[in-house]
């Protein structure tokens, strides 16, 4: 815009500085503006680059080896038992441990995820919120609070022991309530991660607090399209339990479903035990095996009185309510980490039978 | 961040603390206001003692104080904190206050003698001359507007007190530069033509902000992490907040901008009318007066 101002008596005195003095200023300013413009263009290109191949990295943290979908049963907002592994088996599932009085992380994490799922039509997913503050989060309170978010969110509660076991089963740090203040108000320290279970019933990814809606919208379609994660042709550990261990030894039991081609369990390791051996039983004899066949389409159970995992050199005594980490190695499928809940020997047979009857062989 | 830490804060920044209506003290904001008013007051006092204050100087004091008050309101609790860490719509409102209210009032509040002294002191005549050029002012004002609304920039700057201060300072300086071609302390450096003034105002303050405003309004996802992850303010979702912010950026300046444009036109019309009256082309009611031929002198017999 060229504007010629006529001479005016109140015009500022002509610049006493030589022209070169304002040259660098103009140059620097224009350069800064150009840099800003390039930044804007770069940002816009990045935001709208849907046609480019997906980036090789995830917005969340990868879980390696992948963890199995955890097994726990809590109480839903309708007062009915909710078997997490069975009710969510084979589905993309988001699991979060938090509490409704949480001032920041919980409402924000839930809002960003549920809004993203709402904006991604056609994505079928289960969102499960497990309270870490059962004394204040009654089923009614949970239902009312979860109603603020887009879509359906399953709210679960239970006894403190049940909730602690559920967190351990999911590999989360067990939440701790802080001391109440003078007004009786308190906060709860809890895991802020959003655990993502894919249709292959494994957890490959964990998303930290601070994951925003655009992160979810970028990653969820890629998660569902990820080869091997969509449940087709995969091996799933649908139940894992252990018996109380004494004298440094114990046993673990698994239910494994193979919906793909022939495969085999080729080993089991545990950070909680010096050794974990596959023991197969034939009649009255028991022997150590180097592998256990997983025929295509079959569910194989290592159950009390039959095949099992022999644990020795346990790093701690295993008591009811504990969990122990097992890593199951397959010949074809990727290794899977599971948290085996320690239950009494009397309960083991019933739990494993329940796992065999569940949809998809899940517990 | 706890209340105790906030109580000794210097400048507003983003925070993870839930919003409360408990006032917080920001000493940097108070210091800035005190320095601005203090130095201005000292300069005016000296002028009054040496040469006396003109009526224009006295009006300038009022404008400067109003501008500084606007700056204070925008920077301090609660608006400053809400805009820095909770609501994008308030962030946008702060931008409007800085550039459309505080900046022009402060520039109008600086008399020419004071401006001359300030520019002399910093040897800034080159920068000043450049800033009065409309093309440069448009470029700087809107360059800063765009740059300070790039999501990663906002997220990074709002995360610290220094960054947040820098963002606010950029807004104020760019706003002052943006208004210089219209209200420069040196009247001769202002755009003279009323039509060009209106064109400049529309382009500088009305046209360009529509682009980032539209971008923000129609984005399908929240753009700014700092506001998306901020503790919730009432029942507002980040999407609602962002849409309001975009709308504010697009049309929030309309009342001020068009009031100024209207004022420019009215003032121009009044001046033209007075000028025509002076040369006798219109009567006191504004009606054209027919030119009367000069009366020949009556011959004296």
């Amino acid at each position: 815009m060229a504007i010629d101002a006529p001479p005016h008596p109140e015009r500022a005195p002509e610049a006493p500085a030589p022209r070169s003095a304002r040259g660098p200023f103009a140059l620097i300013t224009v350069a800064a503006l150009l840099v800003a413009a390039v930044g804007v263009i770069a940002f816009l290109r990045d935001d709208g680059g849907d046609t480019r191949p997906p980036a090789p990295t995830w917005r969340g943290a990868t879980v390696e080896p992948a963890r199995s979908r955890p097994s726990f049963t809590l109480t839903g907002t309708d007062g009915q038992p909710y078997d997490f592994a069975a009710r969510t088996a084979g589905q993309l599932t988001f699991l979060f441990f938090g509490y409704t009085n949480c001032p920041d992380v919980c409402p924000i994490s839930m809002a960003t995820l549920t809004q993203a799922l709402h904006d991604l039509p056609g994505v079928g997913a289960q969102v499960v919120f497990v309270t870490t503050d059962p004394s204040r989060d009654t089923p009614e309170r949970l239902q009312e609070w979860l109603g603020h978010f887009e879509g359906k969110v399953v709210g679960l509660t239970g006894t403190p022991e049940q909730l602690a076991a559920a967190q351990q089963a999911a590999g989360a740090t067990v939440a701790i309530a802080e001391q109440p203040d003078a007004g009786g108000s308190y906060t709860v320290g809890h895991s802020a991660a959003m655990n993502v279970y894919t249709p292959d019933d494994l957890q490959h990814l964990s998303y930290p607090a601070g994951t925003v809606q655009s992160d979810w919208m970028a990653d969820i379609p890629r998660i569902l399209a990820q080869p091997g994660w969509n449940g087709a042709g995969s091996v799933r550990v649908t139940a894992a339990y252990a018996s109380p261990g004494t004298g440094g030894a114990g046993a673990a039991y698994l239910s494994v479903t193979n919906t793909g081609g022939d495969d085999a369990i080729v080993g089991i390791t545990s950070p909680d035990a010096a050794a974990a051996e596959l023991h197969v039983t034939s009649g009255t004899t028991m022997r150590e095996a180097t592998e256990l066949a997983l025929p295509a389409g079959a569910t194989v159970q290592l159950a009390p009185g039959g095949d099992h995992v022999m644990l020795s050199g346990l790093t701690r005594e295993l008591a009811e309510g504990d969990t122990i980490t097992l890593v199951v190695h397959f010949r074809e499928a990727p290794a899977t980490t599971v948290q085996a809940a320690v239950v009494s020997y009397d309960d083991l047979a019933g739990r494993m039978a329940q796992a065999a009857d569940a949809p998809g062989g899940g517990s | 961040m706890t209340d105790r830490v906030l109580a000794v804060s210097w400048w507003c920044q983003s925070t993870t603390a839930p919003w409360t209506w408990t006032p917080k003290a920001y000493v940097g904001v108070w210091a800035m206001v005190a320095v601005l008013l203090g130095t201005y007051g000292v300069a005016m006092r000296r002028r009054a003692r040496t040469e006396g204050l003109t009526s224009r100087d006295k009006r300038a004091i009022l404008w400067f104080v109003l501008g500084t008050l606007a700056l204070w309101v925008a920077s301090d609790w609660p608006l400053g904190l809400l805009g820095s860490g909770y609501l994008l719509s308030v962030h946008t409102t702060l931008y409007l206050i800085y550039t459309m209210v505080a900046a022009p009032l402060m520039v109008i509040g600086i008399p020419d003698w004071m401006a001359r002294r300030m520019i002399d002191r910093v040897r800034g005549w080159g920068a000043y001359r450049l800033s009065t050029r409309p093309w440069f002012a448009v470029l700087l004002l809107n360059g800063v507007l765009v740059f300070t609304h790039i999501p990663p920039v906002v997220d990074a700057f709002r995360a610290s007190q220094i960054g947040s201060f820098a963002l606010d300072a950029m807004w104020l300086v760019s706003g002052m530069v943006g208004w210089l071609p219209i209200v420069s302390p040196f009247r001769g450096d202002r755009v003279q033509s009323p039509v060009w003034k209106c064109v400049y105002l529309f382009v500088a303050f009305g046209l360009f902000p529509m682009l980032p405003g539209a971008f923000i309004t129609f984005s399908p996802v929240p753009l700014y992490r700092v506001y998306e992850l901020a503790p919730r303010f009432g029942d507002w979702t980040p999407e609602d907040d962002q849409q309001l912010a975009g709308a504010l950026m697009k049309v929030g300046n309309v009342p001020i901008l068009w009031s100024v444009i209207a004022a420019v036109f009215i003032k121009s019309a009044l001046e033209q009318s007075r000028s025509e009256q002076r040369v006798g082309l219109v009567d006191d009611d504004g009606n054209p007066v027919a030119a009367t031929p000069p009366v020949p002198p009556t011959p004296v017999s």
Side-chain angles (χ1 to χ4, degrees):
Chain A
M1 184 171 12
I3 299 167
D4 293 319
H8 194 284
E10 287 188 50
R11 191 164 194 138
E14 282 303 315
R19 188 167 181 80
S20 59
R22 71 172 184 245
F25 179 80
L27 206 63
I28 290 166
T29 311
V30 171
L33 291 170
L34 277 174
V35 169
V38 169
V40 173
I41 292 164
F43 170 75
L44 292 175
R45 282 175 60 85
D46 183 49
D47 195 58
D50 293 338
T51 55
R52 292 175 299 171
T57 56
W58 301 96
R59 308 287 174 100
T62 51
V63 178
E64 290 178 350
R67 287 177 180 276
S68 178
R69 189 182 293 264
S71 297
F72 57 81
T73 300
L74 295 170
T75 305
T77 51
D78 56 0
Q80 298 299 310
Y82 187 95
D83 185 331
F84 176 80
R87 297 283 286 272
T88 62
Q91 299 173 68
L92 177 63
T93 309
F94 300 88
L95 174 65
F96 190 81
F97 296 95
Y99 66 113
T100 64
N101 282 281
C102 178
D104 39 44
V105 172
C106 302
I108 293 167
S109 297
M110 295 300 290
T112 52
L113 171 66
T114 54
Q115 187 63 46
L117 288 169
H118 176 260
D119 292 344
L120 286 168
V123 172
Q126 288 266 29
V127 182
V128 179
F129 180 90
V130 178
T131 183
T132 54
D133 184 17
S135 59
R136 287 186 296 187
D137 289 347
T138 60
E140 296 75 26
R141 165 69 183 151
L142 264 178
Q143 190 164 23
E144 186 264 329
W145 187 76
L146 293 172
H148 291 301
F149 304 109
E150 292 285 350
K152 184 178 183 297
V153 181
V154 175
L156 300 179
T157 185
T159 64
E161 294 75 24
Q162 288 175 321
L163 294 171
Q167 291 167 75
Q168 286 175 332
T173 308
V174 177
I176 301 171
E178 294 181 359
Q179 286 297 315
D181 61 18
S185 178
Y186 61 91
T187 56
V188 178
H190 62 92
S191 163
M194 183 70 76
N195 300 295
V196 181
Y197 301 96
T198 40
D200 60 354
D201 285 338
L202 295 175
Q203 182 189 6
H204 301 278
L205 295 165
S206 171
Y207 286 78
T211 302
V212 293
Q213 201 178 316
S214 55
D215 294 334
W216 287 122
M217 295 191 71
D219 273 12
I220 289 173
R222 295 171 55 216
I223 289 171
L224 289 171
Q226 187 71 5
W229 290 11
N230 59 8
S234 62
V235 175
R236 303 198 315 260
V237 179
T238 54
Y241 294 101
S243 57
T246 53
Y253 306 93
L254 305 171
S255 183
V256 184
T257 299
N258 179 10
T259 54
D262 287 346
D263 206 333
I265 298 174
V266 294
I268 293 180
T269 55
S270 170
D272 300 321
E277 298 167 352
L278 271 173
H279 284 193
V280 294
T281 306
S282 176
T284 55
T285 59
M286 185 177 71
R287 63 178 175 82
E288 184 185 349
T290 53
E291 68 173 51
L292 185 66
L294 291 173
T299 294
V300 171
Q301 282 220 327
L302 287 78
D307 303 341
H308 60 275
V309 180
M310 189 70 204
L311 302 167
S312 57
L314 286 167
T315 56
R316 55 192 163 87
E317 293 288 303
L318 295 181
E320 278 185 63
D322 284 347
T323 59
I324 180 171
T325 302
L326 300 174
V327 183
V328 186
H329 303 269
F330 303 99
R331 190 172 55 212
E332 304 295 338
T336 301
T337 302
V338 293
Q339 299 293 323
V342 180
V343 297
S344 71
Y345 198 82
D346 293 340
D347 288 345
L348 276 170
R351 297 281 184 114
M352 294 307 293
Q354 193 181 13
D357 294 340
S363 59
Chain B
M1 183 177 292
T2 66
D3 285 354
R4 194 171 46 201
V5 174
L6 280 173
V8 293
S9 289
W10 181 71
W11 206 264
C12 299
Q13 67 169 112
S14 63
T15 168
T16 56
W19 171 260
T20 71
W21 286 102
T22 306
K24 311 279 192 304
Y26 291 96
V27 291
V29 176
W30 297 355
M32 174 193 70
V33 171
V35 166
L36 283 172
L37 290 181
T39 50
Y40 187 85
V42 166
M44 278 292 179
R45 202 181 165 93
R46 278 188 190 151
R47 180 78 173 182
R49 275 207 298 263
T50 54
E51 298 182 40
L53 296 181
T54 63
S55 58
R56 191 187 284 181
D57 289 337
K58 288 173 185 166
R59 281 200 304 275
I61 293 173
L62 176 67
W63 295 129
F64 191 85
V65 170
L66 285 175
T68 310
L69 280 178
L71 192 64
W72 187 4
V73 168
S75 308
D76 207 345
W77 185 92
L79 274 187
L81 184 57
L82 276 174
S84 301
Y86 292 90
L87 294 172
L88 179 63
S89 51
V90 178
H91 164 100
T92 310
T93 306
L94 298 188
Y95 175 79
L96 292 175
I97 296 176
Y98 269 86
T99 56
M100 301 290 287
V101 182
L105 288 176
M106 291 176 79
V107 174
I108 294 170
I110 299 173
D112 53 355
W113 54 265
M114 192 186 286
R116 190 172 289 113
R117 200 174 298 166
M118 286 163 55
I119 299 169
D120 272 341
R121 188 162 294 175
V122 297
R123 299 183 178 183
W125 286 107
Y128 166 77
R129 285 256 172 254
L130 191 62
S131 300
T132 56
R133 297 189 194 287
W135 68 266
F136 178 80
V138 167
L139 202 63
L140 184 75
L141 176 71
N142 290 287
V144 168
L145 164 71
V146 172
F147 176 71
T148 57
H149 284 85
I150 298 172
V153 171
V154 175
D155 292 340
F157 276 65
R158 285 300 192 202
S160 70
Q161 297 184 57
I162 292 286
S164 201
F165 169 76
L167 202 72
D168 294 346
M170 278 192 274
W171 286 353
L172 182 66
V173 171
S174 69
M176 292 174 102
V177 169
W179 282 96
L180 269 184
I182 303 297
V183 292
S184 165
F186 308 105
R187 289 175 175 247
D189 291 338
R190 297 176 184 176
V191 174
Q192 300 297 316
S193 156
V195 174
W196 277 118
K197 266 187 189 171
C198 294
V199 169
Y200 171 79
L201 285 167
F202 176 71
V203 171
F205 293 97
L207 188 63
F208 281 106
M210 287 183 182
L211 302 175
F215 180 65
I216 290 171
T217 306
F218 297 112
S219 169
V221 292
L223 292 168
Y224 303 92
R225 297 178 72 92
V226 65
Y227 298 108
E228 186 180 0
L229 298 176
R232 293 288 178 265
F233 181 82
D235 286 336
W236 283 18
T237 66
E239 291 76 17
D240 298 338
D241 177 40
Q242 183 164 294
Q243 285 183 357
L244 178 61
L248 278 171
M249 184 168 285
K250 278 194 288 186
V251 298
N253 54 9
V254 164
I256 296 173
L257 179 62
W258 288 99
S259 297
V260 174
I261 289 176
V264 167
F265 258 113
I266 291 167
K267 191 177 171 190
S268 160
L270 287 174
E271 281 176 358
Q272 191 174 352
S273 169
R274 276 198 290 269
S275 162
E276 286 170 349
Q277 278 178 18
R278 274 198 296 275
V279 297
L281 296 177
V282 292
D283 62 17
D284 290 344
D285 297 326
N287 301 315
V289 176
T292 50
V295 179
T298 307
V300 177
S301 56

